[in-house]
């Protein structure tokens, strides 16, 4: 087995090996994969590390290959197309009354997106030895054209080529936001792969529906698509939760420090926790607004409960991100001005930063929470939901958006919230904080998550 993987996201590295730059998302999964099996990892060079070499040899088994696009190309590829256009599309985030606009500026940005994808495919082709036991894994919406460029650069691909998308996939009507030639281009590129994977079956089904509508020459049969003589299988296989890491972190000194800090801020009150990056689809403002509605009904709860959100900032925040962060902070100030007990916050934003103990903060919070909230508008998976399901106690509740990919497996262990319905979310919060929801089967949810593994995920995403 020889693994080659590509992603926009990148790890940290030093003489001791590789590690995630932040908790959650794709990178911890790829770190586990390469630490277990070895291989080559092609990724976008981080902008905070200038003059990074083209190849980094960590040991005999792991090679890193940063791709440096340059600042203008990075802006076109990452900011304009990958973040503003594609992530907006995949998460249903576009205000279609005014966006997106496909004009000459977008055409130029798309050319930059193509160029970066070509550079990835070129590096991948140079690393590929064409052996039958080669497993090539492409990730991230930033790299949707890599399969096309890679396959067309080679006489044949004898190994297995898979693409995994950690985001949702929109239904055909919403996918039509893209012009026809871009819709077809993206779909046909991904159908060069042997397998296309998602975190949840609903995202795979939406992709199949888009193929059926927009590729007249494609044949959809169950969970497979045949196009241009090539068959692509669709799989739903969520990233596994590394429970060994969580078990270890529960007892770490950094976790205990955070428990002490959070307990001081809680002041003896029951804690409701959420943890998110300040991405638009995480729906943090509506979560706080729902809690404000609850406090309007029952203002005494502010003396009994504390709602804390552990938040991190995207690496390249857009103007919309800043507006979203400003709105979140405005709501926090208003709710605290209206309801906070003397010397305490009713709701709080906790920013542990990008240091090594940021995840310890989340682990500490979950281990002492009476409720955990995930109310994403549309979310590919949401790893925090899985961490909550594993760590919260018997009498604690997980409030989980029906539009989070994690809901597919964890729905039976959680209370489903409608991410757009503030009253329904508010009522679910009230029931959880009052202890009226009963206990879920902690042993069963922990057993479900313990059964996951990197090897099982790898076997599924490559259909081995």
């Amino acid at each position: 087995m020889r693994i080659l993987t590509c992603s926009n996201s990148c790890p940290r590295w030093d003489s001791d090996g590789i590690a995630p730059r932040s908790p959650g998302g794709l990178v911890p999964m790829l770190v586990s994969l390469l630490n277990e099996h070895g291989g080559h990892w092609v990724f976008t060079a981080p902008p905070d590390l200038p003059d990074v070499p083209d190849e980094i040899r960590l040991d005999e088994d792991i090679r890193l290959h940063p791709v440096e696009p340059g600042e203008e190309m990075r802006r076109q590829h990452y900011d304009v197309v990958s973040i503003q256009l594609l992530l907006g599309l995949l998460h249903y985030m576009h205000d279609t009354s005014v966006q997106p606009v496909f004009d000459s500026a977008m055409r130029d940005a798309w050319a930059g997106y193509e160029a970066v994808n070509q550079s990835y495919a070129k590096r991948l082709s140079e690393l590929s030895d064409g052996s039958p036991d080669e497993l090539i894994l492409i990730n991230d919406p930033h790299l949707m054209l890599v399969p096309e460029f890679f396959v067309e650069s080679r006489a044949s691909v004898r190994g297995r080529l898979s693409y995994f998308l950690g985001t949702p996939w929109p239904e055909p009507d919403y996918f039509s936001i893209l012009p026809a030639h871009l819709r077809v281009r993206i779909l046909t590129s991904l159908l060069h792969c042997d397998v296309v994977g998602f975190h949840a079956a609903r995202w795979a089904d939406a992709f199949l529906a888009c193929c059926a509508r927009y590729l007249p020459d494609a044949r959809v049969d169950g969970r497979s698509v045949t196009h241009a003589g090539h068959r692509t299988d669709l799989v739903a296989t969520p990233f596994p939760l590394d429970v060994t890491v969580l078990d270890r972190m529960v007892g770490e000194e950094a976790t205990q420090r955070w428990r002490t800090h959070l307990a001081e801020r809680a002041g003896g009150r029951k804690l409701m926790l959420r943890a998110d990056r300040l991405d638009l689809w995480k729906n943090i403002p509506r979560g706080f607004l729902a809690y404000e509605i609850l406090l309007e009904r029952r203002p005494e709860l502010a003396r009994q409960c504390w709602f804390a959100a552990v938040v991190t900032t995207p690496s390249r925040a857009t103007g919309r991100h800043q507006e979203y962060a400003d709105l979140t902070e405005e709501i926090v100030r208003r709710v605290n001005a209206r309801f906070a007990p003397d010397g305490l916050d009713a709701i709080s934003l906790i920013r542990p930063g990008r240091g090594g103990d940021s995840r310890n903060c989340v682990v500490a919070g979950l281990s002492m929470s009476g409720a955990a909230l995930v109310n994403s508008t549309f979310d590919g998976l949401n790893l925090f939901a899985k961490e909550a399901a594993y760590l919260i106690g018997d009498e604690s509740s997980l409030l989980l958006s029906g539009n989070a990919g994690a809901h597919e497996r964890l729905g039976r262990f959680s209370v489903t919230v409608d991410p757009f319905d503030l009253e329904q979310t508010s009522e679910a919060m009230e029931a959880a904080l009052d202890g009226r929801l009963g206990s879920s089967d902690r042993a069963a949810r922990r057993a479900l998550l313990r059964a996951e593994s990197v090897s099982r995920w790898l076997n599924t995403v490559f259909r081995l």
Side-chain angles (χ1 to χ4, degrees), residues 62 68 123 229 234 339 452 455:
I62 299 176
E68 175 51 71
R123 184 74 61 91
L234 275 291
F339 299 105
E452 300 178 341
S455 295

Side-chain angles (χ1 to χ4, degrees), residues 127 329 461:
L127 295 171
E329 291 173 358
V461 85

Side-chain angles (χ1 to χ4, degrees), residues 242-257:
D242 194 334
V243 298
T244 303
V245 170
L246 287 184
D247 287 340
R248 184 187 72 241
M249 292 180 70
V250 167
E252 288 179 347
E253 183 180 344
T255 303
Q256 184 54 49
R257 286 198 304 269

Side-chain angles (χ1 to χ4, degrees), residues 386-443:
K386 299 181 78 169
E387 293 174 334
Y390 188 75
L391 290 173
I392 60 175
D394 289 326
E395 301 305 318
S396 301
S397 302
L398 171 60
L399 310 181
L400 180 57
S401 169
N403 287 339
H407 191 273
E408 200 161 271
R409 301 197 78 199
L410 298 179
R412 61 193 173 104
F413 300 114
S414 64
V415 176
T416 301
V417 296
D418 182 335
F420 302 100
D421 187 337
L422 300 188
E423 290 287 352
Q424 188 267 349
T425 302
S426 173
E427 291 166 2
M429 289 175 172
E430 183 175 18
L433 294 172
D434 282 345
R436 291 187 280 109
L437 296 177
S439 60
S440 64
D441 191 338
R442 185 173 189 242

Side-chain angles (χ1 to χ4, degrees), residues 1 3-6 18 26-41 61-62 135-139 239-240 242 453-459 461-462 464:
M1 181 188 299
I3 296 178
L4 278 67
T5 189
C6 291
I18 54 177
L26 169 76
V27 172
M29 174 68 200
L30 295 183
V31 167
S32 296
L33 188 65
L34 265 68
N35 280 335
E36 183 171 347
H37 300 283
H40 295 260
W41 188 347
D61 297 321
I62 299 176
L135 303 181
I136 301 173
L137 176 62
I138 302 168
N139 311 271
F239 287 162
D242 194 334
S453 70
V454 171
S455 295
R456 184 170 295 179
W457 184 88
L458 184 72
N459 288 339
V461 85
F462 281 104
L464 299 177

